[in-house]
Amino acid sequence: MPEINLEFLARQMERVLVEVGSLRDDMSVLTALALRLDATMSGVQQELRATHSQIQRMNDRIRKLEDVPAS
């Protein structure tokens, strides 16, 4: 069993601090990815709504043309 002294505890504490720093970096990256995806999805939703409106207007125009009696 290793001897537990202040030097051993200092090394272990350094390992813990390195791991915490690594986890903090990972969380920063994941947070940035989530924010980017959220912004992207918002843009996709806006584009989908605009496309839906465009198709709806096109359908309305086609219905009007179909309702006009043939001359």
Side-chain angles (χ1 to χ4, degrees):
M1 185 167 137
E3 183 180 333
I4 298 178
N5 56 28
L6 288 179
E7 187 177 316
F8 173 78
L9 292 175
R11 285 194 310 268
Q12 296 304 313
M13 189 59 153
E14 184 63 32
R15 282 183 45 210
V16 169
L17 290 175
V18 167
E19 287 294 319
V20 168
S22 177
L23 291 171
R24 190 175 288 153
D25 292 341
D26 291 346
M27 283 303 297
S28 294
V29 169
L30 292 173
T31 301
L33 284 170
L35 290 172
R36 188 179 76 198
L37 287 174
D38 183 49
T40 300
M41 290 308 294
S42 177
V44 168
Q45 288 174 344
Q46 289 174 346
E47 185 177 340
L48 187 59
R49 285 187 190 107
T51 302
H52 179 73
S53 295
Q54 182 182 33
I55 291 171
Q56 186 63 43
R57 285 191 306 274
M58 189 181 343
N59 287 339
D60 291 344
R61 290 194 310 264
I62 290 172
R63 276 192 212 100
K64 284 182 185 178
L65 289 173
E66 289 175 343
D67 290 343
V68 173
S71 301

